[in-house]
Structure formats: structure tokens, C-alpha cells
Amino acid sequence: MTIENVSCTLNRYPEGMVKLDDFKIVQGPIPEISDNDVLLKVLCCSVDPFMRGRMKKDNPSSYVPPCQPGKVIQVFSITQVEKIGANVTDINVGDKYMCFNGIEKYTVVPQQAIKGDGQKNLGNYNKIDPNNPIKDSFYLGLFGMPGMTAWAFFNKVGKPKEGETIFVSAASGAVGQVVCQLAKLKGLKVVACASSPEKIGFLKGAIKVDEAFSYRDFPDKESFVAQLRKVCPNGIDIYFDNVGGYILDSALQLMNVHGRVVMCGMISQYNLKDKYQYTLQDISNRRLTLQGCLFNDYFPRCMGEFMQDMIPMVQSGKLIYKEDVYKGVEKTPEAFIGLFNSKNFGKVVIEPF
Ligand SMILES: NC(=O)c1ccc[n+]([C@@H]2O[C@H](COP(=O)([O-])OP(=O)(O)OC[C@H]3O[C@@H](n4cnc5c(N)ncnc54)[C@H](OP(=O)(O)O)[C@@H]3O)[C@@H](O)[C@H]2O)c1
């Protein structure tokens, strides 16, 4: 048998911190197609923190159904039509789609899956305009789910005003780096935290935030609050929370009256059994708004507005985007674990070929 396809499956539901052998790499031949099928070549796949929520058998708070052990892990992907069956219409070899697809080199889908039910939703195959100059992987990051999350949550939930102070955690990541730049462009003071000196250098140098520091230098609430007081002498108007835990708890202490906390994600908690216990008394006396937000509430509703706002900023070079590209399906476990041990630097993408 010639091995030409490689897929990444879930080996078992991880317990605690996700491990390399929670995944299994499976090899096989390129799948055959029948008359109504389409063979897709996978150009790139997105690796995102929300996948951890899908790797729990029972996760009542998850907004997506769980992955199944033994099945190929499905993620946001860019695919290209490689071959079509004899009865396939209106789909051509070379067409590219942004879709939800397995992490693998090749996938077979019935043509009806691509044509869909006419509804625009996450499971849809969105055809990519071949004349669009945006590079494929950017549909998974800057112009995909993380970029739109950053743009929508910052503008619609953060309700930023010029001169305000925003604090952003996981600031060099797929979402955070966009939030920091949008906030700078809107005239806010931007305070950012991340893990390593390399990431702090990127935030201060390439992204030009006003203040950046490593949260690892301030590993508990007391020291973190003291550091925030130093770098946010006028308090915090918007906290864009990507991490939860003691960083969120500390930020709450610095929030100004009528401040907004954008509850984007809590990555510090995703692998823990015993979750962080928060101190919430600052919320009422400072009349804070803490808003939980989900990408699905803005996609596809705000897609047009998002693209219209973002494209000129990107084309003029005012907004940049850092990616972390892993070559080969075999790298998926390492790439995914990298989200939780801070090894990733920018938007994580897998290129199967
Ligand atoms: N609500 C939604 O619809 C939505 C959509 C997209 C993303 N999200 C959430 O947004 C957050 C960021 O997502 P992303 O895709 O942009 O990921 P990302 O920032 O590219 O990667 C995750 C980053 O989190 C940081 N991190 C990991 N463990 C941490 C810990 N214990 N304490 C502090 N920081 C930690 C790491 O950065 P450092 O090197 O700085 O440690 C890591 O690079 C996640 O919480 C995600 O779940 C939510």
C-alpha cells in the first residue's frame, strides 16, 4: 500500500494537561471518490484553544460538540478541490474553500456538503474568491475566526474611546496581537502581557504597545496587582481577557468605574480540574460590565463590516500579523500543546504538505 494520506485523530479524551499521545497520527492511501464526491486537498489547518473544550466527553459549558476518539479532528481549514466525481456540478478542480474539515492531507466529501443548505453558518464551505490577494492561511487567522473575534469583541463589547487604557492578556497570540493593534490605531493606551522576553520584544517593537511585561515575573495576585498599578496609573477602562485565573482577578482590582471586561477566553483554566476562585466584590461598586462573548454571535452577521474595516489597515501596513506555521500533519500534537505551554508565537497553523 502506498501511504499518501496522513490524518490526525483523537486517541483518547485528555485528562488534565493535554499530552502528545492523546493524539494518534494515522496513515493510509488517498481516499477513492464516487460519482457524487469531491476530493479535497487540505492546504492549511487552524489550531485553536477552543479545540480543548471539544476534547472533553462531558463539557456542559462547551459551545461545540465533542470530538470522538478514533475520528479525525475537525478544525477550520482551507481546502482545494483536487478531483471531482462524474456527477458533480458547479464545483471545479482548483476551487478553494474555507471550511470545517479534518486535520489531514486529503478528505472526500459529498458534493452536497459543499453546496450546503443555503444557510451561512460555521459548517459551511465558503468559496474563496481566486482574485482575492489575501494569503490562504490568513483566512484562519487575521481574516478568520481569531481576527474577527478580536475586531468584534474589541469594538462591539469593549466600546473603546480614544484616550482610554486597555489591558490585553495573551497579547502576542492569534487574538491578542490584533486587539493590541486595533486599540493603538484607535488612540488607546495599550498595556499588554505575555510570557517570554521574545514576545514582550515583539509587542513593544513590532506592535508598539505602550507597556508590555511578562506575567511570569508576577506569578501571584499580589505582585500582579502591584505591577498593574505601576503600568496603569490611571486604572484600566477595558480588560480584554484571554486567560482568566489570577490575571483576571488582578485586573478587576484596577478597573475604573463603568469599565468593561471582555470575557474572550480563559486559557489558564482549560486543563485544570480545580478552577481558580475569583474575588468579585469590585464588580458592583465600580459598576463594571463583564460580558461573555462568542465568535458565533458575530459570524457571519458582521463579516462585511469586519472586512471593510480591516482590509485597508492591512493593505496599508498599519496592521501586521504573526503566524507560527508547523509543516506536516504529524506536528499537530506538538502545535496544539504549544498553545498551553506558551511555545506558540502568533497564530498557529498546520500545513499538511
Ligand atoms: N469567545 C470566543 O468566541 C473566542 C474565540 C477565539 C478565541 N477565544 C479565546 O481567546 C483566547 C486566545 O485565543 P488565541 O487563539 O488567540 O490563542 P493564542 O493567544 O494564540 O494562544 C494561547 C496563548 O495563551 C497563553 N497562555 C497559555 N496558558 C496560559 C496561562 N496559564 N496563563 C497565561 N497565559 C497563558 C500563551 O501565551 P503566553 O506566551 O503569553 O503565555 C499562549 O500563546 C483563548 O482563551 C481562546 O479560548 C475565544
Side-chain angles (χ1 to χ4, degrees), residues 17 46-51 63 140 145-150 153 169-177 193-196 199-200 203 213-216 240-247 263-272 292-298 321-322 336-348:
M17 186 51 146
S46 186
V47 175
D48 297 289
F50 81 93
M51 289 160 59
Y63 45 91
L140 304 178
M145 187 274 285
M148 182 152 184
T149 295
F153 294 7
S169 52
S172 66
V175 174
Q177 60 176 307
C193 79
S195 59
S196 64
K199 291 181 178 182
I200 302 306
L203 288 164
F213 63 93
S214 169
Y215 62 88
R216 293 202 171 144
F240 197 104
D241 185 30
N242 286 316
V243 304
Y246 80 96
I247 296 181
M263 309 287 287
C264 177
M266 292 199 167
I267 196 162
S268 72
Q269 306 297 297
Y270 296 171
N271 292 296
L272 299 183
C293 335
L294 206 55
F295 163 74
N296 310 41
D297 290 343
Y298 301 92
Y321 199 61
K322 184 162 177 54
F336 182 62
I337 293 168
L339 292 172
F340 302 100
N341 63 16
S342 302
K343 290 263 164 62
N344 74 318
F345 189 177
K347 172 73 196 109
V348 181

Side-chain angles (χ1 to χ4, degrees), residues 135 137-138 141-142 177 321-325 345-349:
K135 69 169 175 166
S137 59
F138 271 15
L142 184 56
Q177 60 176 307
Y321 199 61
K322 184 162 177 54
E323 295 181 311
D324 196 349
V325 179
F345 189 177
K347 172 73 196 109
V348 181
V349 173

Side-chain angles (χ1 to χ4, degrees), residues 23 27 33 35 46 53 76 94 112 116 137 172 178 183 187 202 218 221 242 259 269 279 283 290 311 323 333 335-336:
F23 302 84
Q27 299 182 327
I33 56 168
D35 288 351
S46 186
F76 289 111
Q112 209 46 48
S137 59
S172 66
V178 180
F202 168 72
F218 309 97
K221 187 174 163 187
N242 286 316
Q269 306 297 297
T279 325
I283 297 173
L290 278 74
I311 285 173
E323 295 181 311
F336 182 62

Side-chain angles (χ1 to χ4, degrees), residues 206-227:
I207 302 275
K208 299 185 178 62
V209 301
D210 298 282
E211 299 280 354
F213 63 93
S214 169
Y215 62 88
R216 293 202 171 144
D217 294 338
F218 309 97
D220 52 47
K221 187 174 163 187
E222 199 187 346
S223 61
F224 202 92
V225 168
Q227 169 64 5

